[in-house]
Amino acid sequence: MEDNKYSVKQAGSPDDEERRAARRKKRQRARIMAFAVLFVFAAAIIGGFVALGITIAGKFKPAAPAEVSIPTLGNELEEIQDVIEKILGPKEDAPEPESDDKANEGSEEDYDAWIAAKIDELSLEDRVMGLFIVSPEQITGVDAAIRAGDGTKEALEKYHVGGIVYDEKNIVSDDQFKEMMEKTKSYVAYETFFILKEESGNTVLGDKLGLDETKTASEIGADMDPYTAYTENTKIALYLKDYGINCNFGLIGDVVFANEDAEASESIMESRSYGGDPTVVSRMILEAVNAYKETGVTVAVGYFPGQGNLDRDPGDSVTSTPITKEQLEANQYPVYNAAVGAGANAIIVSHEYADELTTDNLPCSLSKEIYTDILRTELGYTDTILITDALNKEAVSGYYTSGEACVKALKAGADMVMCPEDIDEGINAVIEAVNSGVISEERVKDSLKRIWKAKYRTVYEAEIND
């Protein structure tokens, strides 16, 4: 097998840092300008009403109406720009590439065609395996993977999976984890998501390696400071990148709210959520996603349709949410619209049952009505990667075989299946489902295109500029 078939250009060069700094300054300038323009518009409207009132009053008085100047935006915006420049410095364009060739990023249509051509070259087995996320233990057979040697190399020559998810048992020391990640990356045939679930205030790497603590999501939400959400998530994204992790599954978009028979404080997401106000949570999620995008780390937001009103983990046992469609639209739609609008790469779907949202008597992680009807069709998330929560959790593995769960999830509209209990059974069942027509091959290709579009941008740009 040819290792590193498509290699990734390493980020973190001085040019990359300079561009990120320029983007951050541009965002600051845009925020200040937006608030200032809003203020000027409000002043203009108020001034207009004052002028109208004086004019009307003049019709009932013999004296000529007083001259009133209605504010215009031209001079005010120039003055605002002057103030912004005093605060942020003169407006600067992003650093220009050294040449036109290096600036060529290609059109989206060209990138889509490039991705499609690469996928067409793959075998069915490799396409299917690219939809699977696994733990290192599942493919190596060890109890706790803490190094990457011949066993990892042999496993990754067999399993060309789309993602590998790590947790605390894989992390012993700083040097150990970095070395394991570096070697693992040298063994993969295709670009791979290397994943941790790092939540604000509850980070795996931070706890194991003594990294700087971050505020919890609930603390950030209580302060209602979007800039803190941005800076805390930037901190997480930067150390993930430093350790070779390119994907975070720990961004929580759940809004905490009470059911009729339960208090919000009983929610399992109480300390993990940005709070109970959808507007506040949406703004925090938007800034968190911006932090990951600017750092170059893929991010997934969970757990749709929301666990904020649950008092137990839906992964541990059959758990139903009484959330209605109206509550979903009011509480979670704004959050996910903000996340996807800011560029979130993926959404993780929960194992909870939602009788008010579905009629197929399946957990949301296996339900077509969640993936296809709501997320794809109603909300229009056509390019977002949709991922099941871990399928080896009791709520799924206790009732469905690995093959059944994987086939049901992909047929329902999921793009990636995470950690089925038996990897071989899951992969073989999906291949058989494609060969028998239960799942179309185009359906598999469509999912892989979404996944590869999130992985291969840097590779594509390097290739067309070579």
Side-chain angles (χ1 to χ4, degrees):
M1 183 193 72
E2 181 186 354
D3 286 342
N4 298 316
K5 189 171 183 181
Y6 306 115
S7 61
V8 175
K9 182 175 68 176
Q10 294 296 317
S13 67
D15 284 347
D16 290 335
E17 296 299 331
E18 192 175 353
R19 290 191 181 95
R20 281 196 292 271
R23 286 198 297 268
R24 283 193 291 269
K25 181 174 284 189
K26 184 177 180 181
R27 289 174 64 247
Q28 287 178 309
R29 187 184 303 276
R31 287 172 183 157
I32 296 172
M33 198 65 166
F35 283 117
V37 169
L38 181 62
F39 176 80
V40 172
F41 268 117
I45 292 171
I46 293 170
F49 278 116
V50 170
L52 180 60
I54 292 173
T55 302
I56 293 172
K59 292 183 179 180
F60 300 96
K61 294 181 180 181
E67 291 186 5
V68 177
S69 175
I70 298 176
T72 59
L73 288 179
N75 294 333
E76 284 78 358
L77 291 184
E78 289 180 6
E79 293 173 4
I80 291 166
Q81 186 65 43
D82 290 341
V83 172
I84 292 174
E85 290 186 4
K86 288 179 181 179
I87 297 172
L88 299 179
K91 184 176 181 181
E92 298 174 358
D93 293 329
E96 291 294 331
E98 294 178 5
S99 69
D100 289 341
D101 289 338
K102 290 185 179 180
N104 184 15
E105 297 179 352
S107 68
E108 281 302 306
E109 292 79 9
D110 290 340
Y111 183 41
D112 288 345
W114 184 87
I115 290 289
K118 296 294 184 186
I119 290 173
D120 283 341
E121 296 172 1
L122 303 179
S123 66
L124 173 60
E125 289 75 13
D126 276 4
R127 290 175 192 152
V128 168
M129 284 190 284
L131 310 185
F132 279 72
I133 296 169
V134 302
S135 71
E137 290 76 21
Q138 287 182 302
I139 57 174
T140 60
V142 301
D143 292 333
I146 58 172
R147 61 180 57 88
D150 291 340
T152 301
K153 186 174 185 294
E154 291 174 7
L156 290 172
E157 287 174 350
K158 176 181 178 181
Y159 298 102
H160 296 163
V161 293
I164 304 174
V165 59
Y166 299 87
D167 62 25
E168 61 272 6
K169 67 177 172 288
N170 306 121
I171 305 168
V172 177
S173 69
D174 185 288
D175 291 340
Q176 166 268 329
F177 190 58
K178 283 184 177 179
E179 182 181 359
M180 181 173 74
M181 293 307 306
E182 184 177 354
K183 285 187 175 181
T184 302
K185 287 186 175 184
S186 73
Y187 299 149
V188 297
Y190 308 108
E191 291 307 306
T192 304
F193 289 142
F194 297 100
I195 305 160
L196 272 175
K197 298 179 181 179
E198 296 286 272
E199 297 182 20
S200 293
N202 183 28
T203 62
V204 177
L205 276 173
D207 292 345
K208 294 287 289 195
L209 302 179
L211 304 179
D212 289 344
E213 293 183 358
T214 56
K215 292 184 177 182
T216 66
S218 61
E219 291 171 338
I220 297 170
D223 291 340
M224 293 191 292
D225 183 0
Y227 184 68
T228 302
Y230 173 78
T231 55
E232 293 294 90
N233 281 281
T234 297
K235 187 187 300 182
I236 295 172
L238 286 173
Y239 73 62
L240 286 175
K241 195 170 184 178
D242 184 51
Y243 282 89
I245 298 295
N246 60 16
C247 186
N248 186 16
F249 275 12
L251 187 55
I252 303 299
D254 292 350
V255 176
V256 174
F257 65 96
N259 301 319
E260 293 181 0
D261 58 348
E263 296 297 326
S265 59
E266 296 178 5
S267 170
I268 60 169
M269 309 305 289
E270 181 68 18
S271 65
R272 300 167 64 191
S273 165
Y274 285 111
D277 184 336
T279 302
V280 172
V281 177
S282 298
R283 184 61 193 277
M284 302 303 165
I285 288 292
L286 183 149
E287 292 298 344
V289 171
N290 281 335
Y292 288 101
K293 296 296 287 185
E294 291 184 3
T295 313
V297 174
T298 300
V299 66
V301 183
Y303 293 89
F304 194 87
Q307 301 177 0
N309 66 334
L310 300 181
D311 58 5
R312 59 181 176 174
D313 189 337
D316 295 338
S317 60
V318 173
T319 303
S320 296
T321 174
I323 191 171
T324 65
K325 187 67 182 302
E326 291 73 19
Q327 288 174 320
L328 181 69
E329 291 172 353
N331 287 282
Q332 295 296 170
Y333 278 22
V335 175
Y336 283 91
N337 284 334
V340 173
N345 304 96
I347 293 171
I348 300 173
V349 177
S350 168
H351 293 320
E352 66 201 278
Y353 285 74
D355 294 339
E356 296 294 324
L357 305 178
T358 66
T359 58
D360 50 19
N361 196 32
L362 291 169
C364 293
S365 56
L366 306 182
S367 174
K368 175 182 177 293
E369 290 171 285
I370 297 296
Y371 290 110
T372 301
D373 297 348
I374 293 179
L375 289 169
R376 287 278 184 243
T377 304
E378 183 177 349
L379 289 173
Y381 301 157
T382 55
D383 293 328
T384 308
I385 304 166
L386 304 182
I387 305 173
T388 71
D389 199 356
L391 295 177
N392 57 1
K393 292 186 176 182
E394 180 65 23
V396 174
S397 63
Y399 300 89
Y400 302 94
T401 68
S402 295
E404 289 171 339
C406 292
V407 170
K408 284 181 180 294
L410 293 174
K411 189 175 179 182
D415 295 307
M416 302 191 83
V417 291
M418 184 170 17
C419 296
E421 194 165 47
D422 187 319
I423 295 299
D424 289 314
E425 180 186 325
I427 291 171
N428 291 333
V430 174
I431 292 172
E432 183 179 345
V434 174
N435 286 331
S436 64
V438 173
I439 298 174
S440 72
E441 192 159 358
E442 284 305 311
R443 169 75 189 78
V444 172
K445 286 184 180 180
D446 284 345
S447 286
L448 199 56
K449 286 174 186 175
R450 293 187 188 97
I451 298 163
W452 277 32
K453 281 188 72 173
K455 293 179 177 181
Y456 275 93
R457 174 67 72 177
T458 303
V459 178
Y460 167 69
E461 290 176 4
E463 182 173 308
I464 64 175
N465 288 309
D466 188 4

